[in-house]
Amino acid sequence: MNAKPYIPISRPSISEAEKAAVLAVLDSGFLAQGPRTAEFEACFARLCEVEHAIAVSSGTTALHLALLAHEIGPGDEVITTPFTFIATANAILFTGARPVFVDIEEETCNLDPQLVEAAITPRTKAILPVHLYGQTCDMDALQAIAQRHGLVIIEDACQAVMASYRDRPAGSFGTGVFSFYATKNLTTGEGGMITTNDTHIAERCRMLRSHGMKRRYYHEFLGYNFRMTDIQAAIGLVQLEKLEELTAQRRANAAYLTAHIHSLITPQCREGYGHAWHQYTVRVNGRRDRDEVAQHLKEAAIDTGVYYPVPVHRQRSMAEAAGEAVLPVAERLAGQVLSLPVHPQLNAEELEYIVAEVNKL
Ligand SMILES: Cc1ncc(COP(=O)(O)O)c(C=O)c1O
C-alpha cells in the first residue's frame, strides 16, 4: 500500500519571487532596517487603511511596544482574553501591568463584550481583544465600552491580517498588532507590525523599537532593539502582493469544509465579518473525544492543531497574575477545539480526503 501523503496544518506560500527579493537585498548591502522596511510599512498601512504602520521583529514585540506607547505600566490593568497564545498576556506583564482575563463567547472563541464592563476597575487602562483564528471580535460593542470608560483598544490582530469587521480592516479600530511568524497568513519568517492613526503613538513606537532614539545617538527614553530587517521586509512585500489571492483560497477552502463536514461542529463566520481563516477550528464534545479525533487524523496523515489546550489563566507561568480566575467557557472550549488544515496550498483532492476522514468519525 502506498504511504498516505502527509497534509500539514500550515505551509508557508514561498515562491521564486520571495527568493529573488531576498537575494536582491543581500546584493544591495543594506541588510538591517532600511528602504524595503519603509516600503513594507507604507504598503501595510494602505492595506489596513491607517496612517501609520511600524515594522518590528515579532508579534510579541509589537504587542509590547503598543502597550508601552500607550504608557501602560505598573499599577495598570489590561482586560484581555484567556483564549489566546501566551504572548498576548506576556506582553502585558512585560510592561509591569496586570492582565485581567474575561471569558469568551462560545460561538467565536473571542472575548465576550457582555462580560467586559464588570471587569473594569479604576486601574483599567486598555482592552486588548484578540481576533482569534482570523475572525474579528465584536468591535462595535468593544468600542462603545472603551468610549464609555475612556479606555484604549489595542487589537491583537496577529492571526487576522485581511480580516474585517463591517468593511473595516482588522487593525484599524485602535492600535493594531500583527505577527508575521512562519505559520501566519502573511509571513516574513519572524516579524510584526503595529498599525495606528495616531501620530504620537506611531512616533513613540518608532523610537521604542530603536533605543528611544529619534536623532541618531540621542536617546529620549528607554527603548529596545525590536527592528525588522530588510531581508524580512522584502519577503513581506512579495507576500503582500499575493495576500488577496491567498486569502480568497483560504475562504474557498473553509467554505468547502463547512459545506461537507457533517460529523463535527463547524466554525461560524458571522454576518458582516470578513473571516481570514488563519485557522479552521471545529469542536468535538469532550477532551477525550477531541484527542481521539486528532489521533485518527494523525493516523490518516492529516495534521491538526489544538489552539489552545490550556487557557492562559490556567498556565503555570500566569498563576500569580491570574489568581483564582474561573472562566468556564474558555476552560470547556480548551478541551473541545481542533483545527484542521485550511491553508491555501491544499488541493481539491486533499480537501476531499480531509472531509472523508473527518466524516468517518
Ligand atoms: C494571537 C497571537 N498573539 C501574539 C502572537 C505573537 O506573535 P509572534 O509569534 O510573532 O511573536 C501570536 C503568534 O504567534 C498570536 O497568534
Side-chain angles (χ1 to χ4, degrees), residues 62-241:
L63 281 164
H64 187 182
L65 292 198
L67 289 156
L68 289 178
H70 283 282
E71 301 189 47
I72 288 163
D76 296 332
E77 291 176 355
V78 178
I79 291 175
T80 193
T81 168
F83 216 68
T84 180
F85 181 53
I86 192 87
T88 313
N90 280 352
I92 298 169
L93 289 177
F94 295 159
T95 69
R98 191 171 85 86
V100 173
F101 299 103
V102 165
D103 214 352
I104 57 172
E105 302 169 325
E106 169 136 6
E107 189 190 316
T108 62
C109 300
N110 277 335
L111 190 63
D112 186 342
Q114 296 204 30
L115 304 177
V116 167
E117 225 152 2
I120 295 173
T121 75
R123 292 171 185 267
T124 310
K125 275 277 189 72
I127 306 175
L128 206 175
V130 177
H131 305 320
L132 198 73
Y133 305 144
Q135 176 159 241
T136 68
C137 296
D138 180 344
M139 294 313 295
D140 278 347
L142 291 175
Q143 280 193 311
I145 296 166
Q147 259 162 25
R148 260 199 307 281
H149 296 271
L151 305 176
V152 164
I153 288 191
I154 297 172
E155 297 171 70
D156 182 336
C158 283
Q159 302 186 3
V161 65
M162 285 293 277
S164 62
Y165 173 83
R166 306 207 190 290
D167 292 328
R168 273 181 63 185
S172 68
F173 293 88
T175 301
V177 168
F178 293 85
S179 163
F180 307 132
Y181 179 65
T183 57
K184 296 295 194 277
N185 295 20
L186 182 164
T187 184
T188 59
E190 296 272 8
M193 193 75 82
I194 303 160
T195 51
T196 178
N197 283 315
D198 184 324
T199 305
H200 170 69
I201 294 296
E203 171 145 304
R204 273 184 61 82
C205 287
R206 283 191 198 101
M207 291 174 72
L208 281 162
R209 95 178 143 181
S210 216
H211 294 291
M213 181 169 79
K214 191 152 115 187
R215 192 171 148 215
R216 191 172 265 264
Y217 303 131
Y218 289 78
H219 306 275
E220 312 287 331
F221 45 74
L222 182 68
Y224 302 81
N225 173 1
F226 286 166
R227 292 182 297 264
M228 177 179 274
T229 67
D230 263 21
I231 304 168
Q232 293 161 289
I235 300 173
L237 278 164
V238 177
Q239 293 264 300
L240 265 183
E241 277 174 32

Side-chain angles (χ1 to χ4, degrees), residues 258-290:
T258 299
H260 294 88
I261 290 174
H262 49 67
S263 55
L264 302 169
I265 306 164
T266 52
Q268 301 297 310
C269 177
R270 281 182 167 166
E271 185 76 30
Y273 290 55
H275 204 315
W277 296 107
H278 173 57
Q279 298 294 349
Y280 184 90
T281 305
V282 297
R283 280 171 48 205
V284 188
N285 263 334
R287 191 178 286 264
R288 250 183 68 201
D289 291 347
R290 190 267 311 280

